[in-house]
Amino acid sequence: MIFAVMFASVMSMSSFAAGRLSVQIGNFNSWKETPHGVLISADNARLSLTVYGPEVVRVRATQGEFSNMPSYAVITEPSGKFTSVKDEKDKLVLSTGELTVEVNKNPVLVRFYNKEGKLLNEDDPGLGISWLGTGTTCYKKLQPDERFIGLGEKTGNLDRRGSAYVDWNTDNPAYALNGDPLYTSLPFYIGLHNQLAYGIFFDNTYKATFNFGASNNRFSSFGAVDGEMNYYFFGGQSVADLLKEYTNLTGRIKMPPIWGLGFQQSRWSYFPDTEVLNLARTFREKKIPADVIYLDIHYMDAYKVFTWNKERFPNPSAMIDSLKDMGFHIVTIVDPGVKKEKGYWAYDSGLKNDCFVKYPDGTNWSADVWPGTCNFPDFTNPKVRTWWGNLYKGLISDGVTGFWNDMNEPASWGNMVPNLVEFDMEGHKGTMEEAHNVYGMQMARSTYQGATKLMDGKRPLVLTRAAYAGIQRYSAIWTGDNVASDEHMLLASRLINSMGLAGVPYVGADIGGFMGGTTTRKLFARWISIAAYTPFFRSHSEYNSRAHEPWTFGEDVEAISRKYIDERYQLLPYIYSAFYQAHETGMPIARSLAINYTFDKNIYNPDFQDEYLFGPSILVAPVSSKQNFGRVYLPKGVWYRKSTGKKYDGGQSVIVDAPLSDLPVFVKAGAIIPMQSTVQNTAQKGDGILKLNIYNGSQPNQYLYYEDDGTTYQYQDGHFLKREFAFNPTEKKITIGKAEGDYTSKFNKIEIVLHGFNAMNSVKVGRKTMNLQKGEGNTQTVTLEAAKGETVLSW
Ligand code: GLC
């Protein structure tokens, strides 16, 4: 017996000495039903398949026990089951009615088919699900011409085929144009081939790698250094369907505060209070609309979070009151590191309540950030999240309404983060290896939940740099420390669009570039024009950089900035309705053309891959500031240049003028775009006229208009106004649908603005004939009283 044990241990030592090889899942042994799926036992691991909906199946595999750690991303439970299970000689065939999952037996391999029996996705026949030490990877056979899109904040091309990426949230200042990893981990991507689309969400928070055929043409793969093979497979008819399912699983954005959709001015840092007030006054004097001013780290006392520097800001609440009177909100930066300083109340409170991340020996982990040596709250502990959320009390009672969580990868100065520091992980205990990628998200969650509790029913704005899947429930994201260059400006469009493809709609990049050079007047002008058509619209720049306010680049740039900021405010009814759509369906605001024109190969051409739709029908074609013309690809259909009304046939690329004062922006024929008069901030009512722009086209179109008070959560109790606008060119009518909900619109009139309806002089409104007036450009208009019931215009 003793000999046998010794022999076995000698054997295992010698096999260790011979090196470690990967292990595949192996051959099939048996299967059994579970409440929502099946559990399969294979030679080297167990595989579970669980139904989350007819088009959503979760795949898990482990060599040990399945973990019972709850997901930070997923908010829905399994539902339904396989409606048929066939145990055949060489495979199990499981169907949900919409999806068929085939499990090959020898070896165990998973394949997904759609309802028509078309293959969506299959494991690589030789590699399948594998382990290498604690690491696990799933290898998928590459399909002919397969493309990959999404994966969130990743540099590179729209089509990610041939690239590989790592998810490990990283403070990556002045990131390279192909730099990776950046600040966030949003491990959802979409595969496209043979006119088919599927989605994969790899819900594993350890350091993960995604390989989209970067090794060869054999496989794509996703894997992590530890944890379970744990992914959700999504089938669907379209990219929009996949986004709907993915955001059903991981949650959707709540309606943001409307002021967070206005123009936001930031810099590192505005101080003292008089400078902040001057800044606000200058916006108003110059009639450049704006809603938000940001206070970066210098507002604090020695960078200690939740404090004010008393010399620079002797009376914060008085300053904020004056700003409020001018229609401004204040957002303050709040980093995770709490300065280690006895007598500093936040630190003392953190110590007393045992809130900080620790080494296994029970001492607090420290690292250096802005305030010097800090301890770091364990945001994976629900008790700590509540504690931190309450620390905002002071800032909130001073009148601050937005919170900017930065450095939450977490970042520190040149300190190698030790992987063994320990986290609560919702009571399941884990180390930095597992907690790292969710740290920023849990910080933003704590901020969001604390602030909503303390703000008397008002919506806070939360902005985060680091994030994990599901962050859309709590926060907006900006793309971190970008660079003042044309290439970065164009990259920002792809980053923003790609985050939209990973379920995060409220995103933006620092206008003008945060660092790495001097922002030229041309670059600023072009960047602010493009950013006016992005969901999160903020100018920000680093310490000691040249001034970045719209009037500091000369009169012509000031005029261009004002023009595009005005346009942004005019578009707010359209933008707010797009946010409502994101809230209801997960459809992003900035929509990569891959959402609507998925199988048009031209949109993946690197020359055109930065283009996107802003909301349902405005196409934005970013052009470098060094060019005064641009080659733009217009997908099939008919398009109008927004600035001139000129019509173009789509399905081709066109060369268009693109002076700094006129970014190429197009509107889809048939579009319905509600706009308003220019206001100086979002709280202003304007002239009370909703301008309903209709662009003539041959296809009928519908549009869901949404409005609420913009600042509270009362919309959740029916205090909203929702109505459908429809344009039907064959029946020659425009319908303003009946208003739903009990919110009274801020608009008492609706002006119909017709684009491209040249030969018309009048329309019938009900039975009454009304003459059309000549509007701006080539438009014709008619103005109606806004009634709650249905109104039909015909001609
Ligand atoms: C980080 C942030 C940047 C901020 C700076 C100072 O670099 O990414 O936006 O201005 O810290 O707080």
Side-chain angles (χ1 to χ4, degrees), residues 255 258 261 571-585 587-589 591 615-616 672-674 690 703-708 721-723 725:
M255 287 309 290
I258 182 118
L261 308 187
L571 278 170
L572 277 172
Y574 172 80
I575 297 171
Y576 199 62
S577 299
F579 269 89
Y580 180 70
Q581 203 186 348
H583 163 68
E584 287 283 294
T585 70
M587 174 59 77
I589 322 299
R591 306 174 184 180
I672 301 171
I673 302 182
L690 183 71
Y703 178 90
L704 185 65
Y705 173 78
Y706 178 84
E707 192 184 337
D708 63 25
L721 179 151
K722 209 161 52 173
R723 71 193 326 173
F725 297 135

mmCIF file of all heavy atoms in Angstrom, residues 255 258 261 571-585 587-589 591 615-616 672-674 690 703-708 721-723 725:
data_model
loop_
_atom_site.group_PDB
_atom_site.id
_atom_site.type_symbol
_atom_site.label_atom_id
_atom_site.label_comp_id
_atom_site.label_asym_id
_atom_site.label_seq_id
_atom_site.Cartn_x
_atom_site.Cartn_y
_atom_site.Cartn_z
ATOM 1 N N MET A 255 -33.300 55.552 -17.948
ATOM 2 C CA MET A 255 -33.279 56.840 -18.638
ATOM 3 C C MET A 255 -32.265 57.747 -17.928
ATOM 4 O O MET A 255 -32.324 57.929 -16.716
ATOM 5 C CB MET A 255 -34.675 57.483 -18.636
ATOM 6 C CG MET A 255 -35.658 56.804 -19.586
ATOM 7 S SD MET A 255 -35.057 56.592 -21.291
ATOM 8 C CE MET A 255 -35.036 58.270 -21.899
ATOM 9 N N ILE A 258 -31.600 64.133 -18.443
ATOM 10 C CA ILE A 258 -31.553 64.780 -19.766
ATOM 11 C C ILE A 258 -30.378 65.754 -19.859
ATOM 12 O O ILE A 258 -29.766 65.905 -20.913
ATOM 13 C CB ILE A 258 -32.894 65.466 -20.115
ATOM 14 C CG1 ILE A 258 -32.843 66.082 -21.516
ATOM 15 C CG2 ILE A 258 -33.286 66.540 -19.118
ATOM 16 C CD1 ILE A 258 -33.806 65.533 -22.476
ATOM 17 N N LEU A 261 -27.238 64.720 -21.484
ATOM 18 C CA LEU A 261 -27.176 64.578 -22.949
ATOM 19 C C LEU A 261 -26.797 65.902 -23.598
ATOM 20 O O LEU A 261 -26.638 65.994 -24.804
ATOM 21 C CB LEU A 261 -28.532 64.104 -23.498
ATOM 22 C CG LEU A 261 -29.099 62.859 -22.821
ATOM 23 C CD1 LEU A 261 -30.342 62.373 -23.544
ATOM 24 C CD2 LEU A 261 -28.056 61.752 -22.771
ATOM 25 N N LEU A 571 -31.508 68.609 -31.661
ATOM 26 C CA LEU A 571 -31.811 67.184 -31.859
ATOM 27 C C LEU A 571 -32.235 66.468 -30.569
ATOM 28 O O LEU A 571 -32.510 65.269 -30.596
ATOM 29 C CB LEU A 571 -30.579 66.463 -32.417
ATOM 30 C CG LEU A 571 -30.354 66.562 -33.924
ATOM 31 C CD1 LEU A 571 -28.978 66.024 -34.285
ATOM 32 C CD2 LEU A 571 -31.430 65.798 -34.698
ATOM 33 N N LEU A 572 -32.275 67.170 -29.446
ATOM 34 C CA LEU A 572 -32.520 66.461 -28.177
ATOM 35 C C LEU A 572 -33.782 65.590 -28.162
ATOM 36 O O LEU A 572 -33.746 64.473 -27.632
ATOM 37 C CB LEU A 572 -32.516 67.434 -27.001
ATOM 38 C CG LEU A 572 -31.117 67.752 -26.477
ATOM 39 C CD1 LEU A 572 -31.180 68.881 -25.449
ATOM 40 C CD2 LEU A 572 -30.441 66.532 -25.845
ATOM 41 N N PRO A 573 -34.904 66.038 -28.746
ATOM 42 C CA PRO A 573 -36.073 65.137 -28.734
ATOM 43 C C PRO A 573 -35.783 63.808 -29.455
ATOM 44 O O PRO A 573 -36.234 62.748 -29.008
ATOM 45 C CB PRO A 573 -37.148 65.941 -29.482
ATOM 46 C CG PRO A 573 -36.729 67.372 -29.315
ATOM 47 C CD PRO A 573 -35.227 67.356 -29.321
ATOM 48 N N TYR A 574 -34.994 63.879 -30.508
ATOM 49 C CA TYR A 574 -34.618 62.674 -31.264
ATOM 50 C C TYR A 574 -33.628 61.827 -30.451
ATOM 51 O O TYR A 574 -33.740 60.605 -30.365
ATOM 52 C CB TYR A 574 -33.988 63.150 -32.580
ATOM 53 C CG TYR A 574 -33.338 62.106 -33.468
ATOM 54 C CD1 TYR A 574 -34.105 61.299 -34.294
ATOM 55 C CD2 TYR A 574 -31.941 61.968 -33.514
ATOM 56 C CE1 TYR A 574 -33.500 60.368 -35.145
ATOM 57 C CE2 TYR A 574 -31.337 61.054 -34.350
ATOM 58 C CZ TYR A 574 -32.117 60.252 -35.168
ATOM 59 O OH TYR A 574 -31.521 59.340 -36.006
ATOM 60 N N ILE A 575 -32.673 62.500 -29.811
ATOM 61 C CA ILE A 575 -31.660 61.784 -29.034
ATOM 62 C C ILE A 575 -32.302 61.137 -27.800
ATOM 63 O O ILE A 575 -32.038 59.977 -27.475
ATOM 64 C CB ILE A 575 -30.519 62.751 -28.619
ATOM 65 C CG1 ILE A 575 -29.813 63.281 -29.873
ATOM 66 C CG2 ILE A 575 -29.523 62.057 -27.693
ATOM 67 C CD1 ILE A 575 -28.813 64.406 -29.603
ATOM 68 N N TYR A 576 -33.178 61.875 -27.157
ATOM 69 C CA TYR A 576 -33.819 61.331 -25.946
ATOM 70 C C TYR A 576 -34.671 60.111 -26.306
ATOM 71 O O TYR A 576 -34.681 59.117 -25.584
ATOM 72 C CB TYR A 576 -34.659 62.427 -25.284
ATOM 73 C CG TYR A 576 -34.975 62.141 -23.838
ATOM 74 C CD1 TYR A 576 -33.952 62.029 -22.900
ATOM 75 C CD2 TYR A 576 -36.287 61.991 -23.404
ATOM 76 C CE1 TYR A 576 -34.230 61.762 -21.562
ATOM 77 C CE2 TYR A 576 -36.574 61.728 -22.074
ATOM 78 C CZ TYR A 576 -35.539 61.615 -21.159
ATOM 79 O OH TYR A 576 -35.814 61.353 -19.836
ATOM 80 N N SER A 577 -35.355 60.188 -27.436
ATOM 81 C CA SER A 577 -36.156 59.030 -27.873
ATOM 82 C C SER A 577 -35.254 57.848 -28.209
ATOM 83 O O SER A 577 -35.636 56.696 -27.996
ATOM 84 C CB SER A 577 -37.004 59.394 -29.094
ATOM 85 O OG SER A 577 -37.907 60.430 -28.780
ATOM 86 N N ALA A 578 -34.055 58.128 -28.727
ATOM 87 C CA ALA A 578 -33.101 57.040 -29.010
ATOM 88 C C ALA A 578 -32.629 56.406 -27.693
ATOM 89 O O ALA A 578 -32.448 55.186 -27.612
ATOM 90 C CB ALA A 578 -31.915 57.565 -29.818
ATOM 91 N N PHE A 579 -32.447 57.221 -26.660
ATOM 92 C CA PHE A 579 -32.100 56.661 -25.352
ATOM 93 C C PHE A 579 -33.238 55.789 -24.819
ATOM 94 O O PHE A 579 -33.008 54.753 -24.195
ATOM 95 C CB PHE A 579 -31.751 57.770 -24.339
ATOM 96 C CG PHE A 579 -30.281 58.099 -24.339
ATOM 97 C CD1 PHE A 579 -29.764 59.053 -25.189
ATOM 98 C CD2 PHE A 579 -29.398 57.430 -23.495
ATOM 99 C CE1 PHE A 579 -28.406 59.332 -25.209
ATOM 100 C CE2 PHE A 579 -28.040 57.706 -23.501
ATOM 101 C CZ PHE A 579 -27.538 58.655 -24.372
ATOM 102 N N TYR A 580 -34.466 56.223 -25.091
ATOM 103 C CA TYR A 580 -35.601 55.404 -24.655
ATOM 104 C C TYR A 580 -35.560 54.046 -25.363
ATOM 105 O O TYR A 580 -35.800 53.003 -24.750
ATOM 106 C CB TYR A 580 -36.923 56.140 -24.929
ATOM 107 C CG TYR A 580 -38.105 55.320 -24.491
ATOM 108 C CD1 TYR A 580 -38.349 55.119 -23.132
ATOM 109 C CD2 TYR A 580 -38.954 54.716 -25.414
ATOM 110 C CE1 TYR A 580 -39.417 54.338 -22.710
ATOM 111 C CE2 TYR A 580 -40.020 53.931 -24.995
ATOM 112 C CZ TYR A 580 -40.250 53.753 -23.647
ATOM 113 O OH TYR A 580 -41.285 52.967 -23.224
ATOM 114 N N GLN A 581 -35.236 54.079 -26.643
ATOM 115 C CA GLN A 581 -35.138 52.814 -27.379
ATOM 116 C C GLN A 581 -34.049 51.924 -26.785
ATOM 117 O O GLN A 581 -34.213 50.711 -26.645
ATOM 118 C CB GLN A 581 -34.863 53.101 -28.861
ATOM 119 C CG GLN A 581 -35.289 51.959 -29.745
ATOM 120 C CD GLN A 581 -34.881 52.165 -31.200
ATOM 121 O OE1 GLN A 581 -34.465 53.251 -31.597
ATOM 122 N NE2 GLN A 581 -34.989 51.118 -31.991
ATOM 123 N N ALA A 582 -32.922 52.533 -26.404
ATOM 124 C CA ALA A 582 -31.839 51.770 -25.759
ATOM 125 C C ALA A 582 -32.344 51.175 -24.441
ATOM 126 O O ALA A 582 -32.067 50.021 -24.112
ATOM 127 C CB ALA A 582 -30.635 52.668 -25.513
ATOM 128 N N HIS A 583 -33.083 51.964 -23.701
ATOM 129 C CA HIS A 583 -33.637 51.545 -22.414
ATOM 130 C C HIS A 583 -34.619 50.376 -22.595
ATOM 131 O O HIS A 583 -34.679 49.457 -21.777
ATOM 132 C CB HIS A 583 -34.306 52.765 -21.787
ATOM 133 C CG HIS A 583 -35.261 52.486 -20.683
ATOM 134 N ND1 HIS A 583 -34.859 52.007 -19.462
ATOM 135 C CD2 HIS A 583 -36.618 52.615 -20.612
ATOM 136 C CE1 HIS A 583 -35.930 51.867 -18.682
ATOM 137 N NE2 HIS A 583 -36.993 52.204 -19.362
ATOM 138 N N GLU A 584 -35.367 50.408 -23.705
ATOM 139 C CA GLU A 584 -36.378 49.368 -23.924
ATOM 140 C C GLU A 584 -35.851 48.138 -24.654
ATOM 141 O O GLU A 584 -36.341 47.036 -24.436
ATOM 142 C CB GLU A 584 -37.519 49.951 -24.780
ATOM 143 C CG GLU A 584 -38.408 50.902 -24.034
ATOM 144 C CD GLU A 584 -39.379 50.164 -23.123
ATOM 145 O OE1 GLU A 584 -40.251 49.453 -23.648
ATOM 146 O OE2 GLU A 584 -39.240 50.290 -21.891
ATOM 147 N N THR A 585 -34.886 48.336 -25.553
ATOM 148 C CA THR A 585 -34.499 47.221 -26.436
ATOM 149 C C THR A 585 -32.998 46.941 -26.484
ATOM 150 O O THR A 585 -32.584 45.966 -27.108
ATOM 151 C CB THR A 585 -34.922 47.492 -27.897
ATOM 152 O OG1 THR A 585 -34.093 48.545 -28.415
ATOM 153 C CG2 THR A 585 -36.372 47.884 -28.024
ATOM 154 N N MET A 587 -30.934 48.706 -28.143
ATOM 155 C CA MET A 587 -30.367 49.270 -29.378
ATOM 156 C C MET A 587 -29.522 50.488 -29.021
ATOM 157 O O MET A 587 -30.003 51.398 -28.352
ATOM 158 C CB MET A 587 -31.526 49.666 -30.312
ATOM 159 C CG MET A 587 -31.108 50.393 -31.564
ATOM 160 S SD MET A 587 -29.983 49.466 -32.614
ATOM 161 C CE MET A 587 -31.081 48.314 -33.383
ATOM 162 N N PRO A 588 -28.239 50.511 -29.416
ATOM 163 C CA PRO A 588 -27.412 51.661 -29.020
ATOM 164 C C PRO A 588 -27.848 52.957 -29.707
ATOM 165 O O PRO A 588 -28.642 52.936 -30.651
ATOM 166 C CB PRO A 588 -26.011 51.260 -29.458
ATOM 167 C CG PRO A 588 -26.174 50.165 -30.435
ATOM 168 C CD PRO A 588 -27.493 49.510 -30.164
ATOM 169 N N ILE A 589 -27.275 54.070 -29.241
ATOM 170 C CA ILE A 589 -27.571 55.384 -29.838
ATOM 171 C C ILE A 589 -26.685 55.559 -31.071
ATOM 172 O O ILE A 589 -27.148 55.963 -32.126
ATOM 173 C CB ILE A 589 -27.259 56.536 -28.844
ATOM 174 C CG1 ILE A 589 -27.623 56.186 -27.400
ATOM 175 C CG2 ILE A 589 -27.849 57.855 -29.313
ATOM 176 C CD1 ILE A 589 -29.046 55.885 -27.132
ATOM 177 N N ARG A 591 -24.837 53.725 -33.789
ATOM 178 C CA ARG A 591 -25.040 52.373 -34.327
ATOM 179 C C ARG A 591 -24.075 52.105 -35.469
ATOM 180 O O ARG A 591 -24.230 52.664 -36.566
ATOM 181 C CB ARG A 591 -26.473 52.235 -34.842
ATOM 182 C CG ARG A 591 -27.480 52.613 -33.786
ATOM 183 C CD ARG A 591 -28.907 52.632 -34.315
ATOM 184 N NE ARG A 591 -29.792 53.098 -33.248
ATOM 185 C CZ ARG A 591 -31.097 53.235 -33.362
ATOM 186 N NH1 ARG A 591 -31.699 52.938 -34.493
ATOM 187 N NH2 ARG A 591 -31.818 53.668 -32.340
ATOM 188 N N GLY A 615 -28.772 57.337 -33.850
ATOM 189 C CA GLY A 615 -30.217 57.109 -33.814
ATOM 190 C C GLY A 615 -30.613 56.383 -35.085
ATOM 191 O O GLY A 615 -29.762 55.926 -35.843
ATOM 192 N N PRO A 616 -31.913 56.264 -35.349
ATOM 193 C CA PRO A 616 -32.328 55.406 -36.458
ATOM 194 C C PRO A 616 -31.990 55.925 -37.852
ATOM 195 O O PRO A 616 -31.868 55.127 -38.774
ATOM 196 C CB PRO A 616 -33.853 55.302 -36.277
ATOM 197 C CG PRO A 616 -34.240 56.418 -35.371
ATOM 198 C CD PRO A 616 -33.042 56.751 -34.537
ATOM 199 N N ILE A 672 -37.958 60.208 -39.952
ATOM 200 C CA ILE A 672 -38.810 61.057 -39.119
ATOM 201 C C ILE A 672 -37.912 61.529 -37.968
ATOM 202 O O ILE A 672 -37.431 60.712 -37.188
ATOM 203 C CB ILE A 672 -40.004 60.242 -38.574
ATOM 204 C CG1 ILE A 672 -40.809 59.671 -39.754
ATOM 205 C CG2 ILE A 672 -40.845 61.076 -37.622
ATOM 206 C CD1 ILE A 672 -41.885 58.682 -39.360
ATOM 207 N N ILE A 673 -37.659 62.827 -37.923
ATOM 208 C CA ILE A 673 -36.694 63.333 -36.933
ATOM 209 C C ILE A 673 -37.310 64.487 -36.140
ATOM 210 O O ILE A 673 -37.431 65.601 -36.644
ATOM 211 C CB ILE A 673 -35.393 63.795 -37.631
ATOM 212 C CG1 ILE A 673 -34.802 62.616 -38.415
ATOM 213 C CG2 ILE A 673 -34.385 64.330 -36.617
ATOM 214 C CD1 ILE A 673 -33.505 62.911 -39.106
ATOM 215 N N PRO A 674 -37.693 64.222 -34.887
ATOM 216 C CA PRO A 674 -38.243 65.311 -34.075
ATOM 217 C C PRO A 674 -37.127 66.197 -33.529
ATOM 218 O O PRO A 674 -36.130 65.699 -33.024
ATOM 219 C CB PRO A 674 -38.961 64.580 -32.935
ATOM 220 C CG PRO A 674 -38.268 63.265 -32.825
ATOM 221 C CD PRO A 674 -37.711 62.932 -34.176
ATOM 222 N N LEU A 690 -42.489 71.428 -31.302
ATOM 223 C CA LEU A 690 -41.755 70.222 -31.707
ATOM 224 C C LEU A 690 -41.706 70.231 -33.230
ATOM 225 O O LEU A 690 -42.741 70.277 -33.898
ATOM 226 C CB LEU A 690 -42.478 68.970 -31.210
ATOM 227 C CG LEU A 690 -41.741 67.662 -31.521
ATOM 228 C CD1 LEU A 690 -40.485 67.534 -30.661
ATOM 229 C CD2 LEU A 690 -42.648 66.453 -31.264
ATOM 230 N N TYR A 703 -41.930 55.807 -36.263
ATOM 231 C CA TYR A 703 -40.960 56.321 -35.301
ATOM 232 C C TYR A 703 -41.647 56.429 -33.949
ATOM 233 O O TYR A 703 -42.748 56.960 -33.845
ATOM 234 C CB TYR A 703 -40.486 57.701 -35.774
ATOM 235 C CG TYR A 703 -39.516 58.351 -34.834
ATOM 236 C CD1 TYR A 703 -38.153 58.137 -34.974
ATOM 237 C CD2 TYR A 703 -39.963 59.180 -33.804
ATOM 238 C CE1 TYR A 703 -37.256 58.727 -34.097
ATOM 239 C CE2 TYR A 703 -39.070 59.772 -32.935
ATOM 240 C CZ TYR A 703 -37.722 59.535 -33.081
ATOM 241 O OH TYR A 703 -36.833 60.118 -32.223
ATOM 242 N N LEU A 704 -40.972 55.934 -32.918
ATOM 243 C CA LEU A 704 -41.547 56.032 -31.574
ATOM 244 C C LEU A 704 -40.945 57.239 -30.864
ATOM 245 O O LEU A 704 -39.740 57.285 -30.608
ATOM 246 C CB LEU A 704 -41.273 54.753 -30.780
ATOM 247 C CG LEU A 704 -41.946 54.744 -29.405
ATOM 248 C CD1 LEU A 704 -43.467 54.731 -29.522
ATOM 249 C CD2 LEU A 704 -41.481 53.549 -28.588
ATOM 250 N N TYR A 705 -41.817 58.199 -30.580
ATOM 251 C CA TYR A 705 -41.388 59.413 -29.891
ATOM 252 C C TYR A 705 -41.614 59.245 -28.398
ATOM 253 O O TYR A 705 -42.623 58.700 -27.969
ATOM 254 C CB TYR A 705 -42.190 60.606 -30.411
ATOM 255 C CG TYR A 705 -41.935 61.866 -29.636
ATOM 256 C CD1 TYR A 705 -40.772 62.597 -29.859
ATOM 257 C CD2 TYR A 705 -42.828 62.312 -28.665
ATOM 258 C CE1 TYR A 705 -40.512 63.741 -29.117
ATOM 259 C CE2 TYR A 705 -42.574 63.454 -27.928
ATOM 260 C CZ TYR A 705 -41.413 64.167 -28.157
ATOM 261 O OH TYR A 705 -41.155 65.293 -27.421
ATOM 262 N N TYR A 706 -40.643 59.700 -27.604
ATOM 263 C CA TYR A 706 -40.738 59.540 -26.160
ATOM 264 C C TYR A 706 -40.313 60.818 -25.452
ATOM 265 O O TYR A 706 -39.342 61.470 -25.836
ATOM 266 C CB TYR A 706 -39.834 58.391 -25.703
ATOM 267 C CG TYR A 706 -39.844 58.211 -24.203
ATOM 268 C CD1 TYR A 706 -40.836 57.459 -23.598
ATOM 269 C CD2 TYR A 706 -38.887 58.830 -23.403
ATOM 270 C CE1 TYR A 706 -40.872 57.318 -22.212
ATOM 271 C CE2 TYR A 706 -38.917 58.698 -22.024
ATOM 272 C CZ TYR A 706 -39.910 57.937 -21.439
ATOM 273 O OH TYR A 706 -39.949 57.802 -20.072
ATOM 274 N N GLU A 707 -41.039 61.148 -24.413
ATOM 275 C CA GLU A 707 -40.715 62.338 -23.617
ATOM 276 C C GLU A 707 -41.099 62.071 -22.168
ATOM 277 O O GLU A 707 -42.083 61.363 -21.904
ATOM 278 C CB GLU A 707 -41.552 63.511 -24.179
ATOM 279 C CG GLU A 707 -41.166 64.877 -23.686
ATOM 280 C CD GLU A 707 -42.115 65.973 -24.235
ATOM 281 O OE1 GLU A 707 -42.764 65.772 -25.285
ATOM 282 O OE2 GLU A 707 -42.211 67.016 -23.566
ATOM 283 N N ASP A 708 -40.320 62.592 -21.235
ATOM 284 C CA ASP A 708 -40.741 62.597 -19.824
ATOM 285 C C ASP A 708 -40.086 63.793 -19.161
ATOM 286 O O ASP A 708 -39.524 64.650 -19.859
ATOM 287 C CB ASP A 708 -40.409 61.251 -19.132
ATOM 288 C CG ASP A 708 -38.919 60.973 -19.077
ATOM 289 O OD1 ASP A 708 -38.121 61.932 -19.120
ATOM 290 O OD2 ASP A 708 -38.525 59.800 -18.978
ATOM 291 N N LEU A 721 -44.726 60.492 -21.981
ATOM 292 C CA LEU A 721 -45.568 60.641 -23.158
ATOM 293 C C LEU A 721 -44.897 59.867 -24.277
ATOM 294 O O LEU A 721 -43.697 60.037 -24.518
ATOM 295 C CB LEU A 721 -45.686 62.122 -23.529
ATOM 296 C CG LEU A 721 -46.537 62.425 -24.766
ATOM 297 C CD1 LEU A 721 -47.155 63.797 -24.622
ATOM 298 C CD2 LEU A 721 -45.744 62.366 -26.064
ATOM 299 N N LYS A 722 -45.677 59.022 -24.892
ATOM 300 C CA LYS A 722 -45.126 58.161 -25.927
ATOM 301 C C LYS A 722 -46.107 58.185 -27.072
ATOM 302 O O LYS A 722 -47.311 58.076 -26.844
ATOM 303 C CB LYS A 722 -45.059 56.747 -25.341
ATOM 304 C CG LYS A 722 -43.989 55.908 -25.881
ATOM 305 C CD LYS A 722 -43.612 54.715 -25.039
ATOM 306 C CE LYS A 722 -44.639 53.757 -24.565
ATOM 307 N NZ LYS A 722 -44.100 52.584 -23.917
ATOM 308 N N ARG A 723 -45.638 58.366 -28.256
ATOM 309 C CA ARG A 723 -46.567 58.294 -29.391
ATOM 310 C C ARG A 723 -45.817 57.895 -30.642
ATOM 311 O O ARG A 723 -44.612 58.117 -30.763
ATOM 312 C CB ARG A 723 -47.310 59.615 -29.576
ATOM 313 C CG ARG A 723 -46.472 60.746 -30.092
ATOM 314 C CD ARG A 723 -47.132 62.123 -29.970
ATOM 315 N NE ARG A 723 -48.567 62.116 -30.147
ATOM 316 C CZ ARG A 723 -49.355 63.179 -29.946
ATOM 317 N NH1 ARG A 723 -48.812 64.327 -29.544
ATOM 318 N NH2 ARG A 723 -50.633 63.128 -30.116
ATOM 319 N N PHE A 725 -45.092 58.279 -34.606
ATOM 320 C CA PHE A 725 -45.223 59.102 -35.803
ATOM 321 C C PHE A 725 -45.034 58.162 -36.987
ATOM 322 O O PHE A 725 -44.144 57.312 -36.955
ATOM 323 C CB PHE A 725 -44.136 60.173 -35.861
ATOM 324 C CG PHE A 725 -44.193 61.170 -34.729
ATOM 325 C CD1 PHE A 725 -43.025 61.541 -34.060
ATOM 326 C CD2 PHE A 725 -45.388 61.746 -34.338
ATOM 327 C CE1 PHE A 725 -43.065 62.468 -33.024
ATOM 328 C CE2 PHE A 725 -45.438 62.670 -33.302
ATOM 329 C CZ PHE A 725 -44.272 63.032 -32.646
#
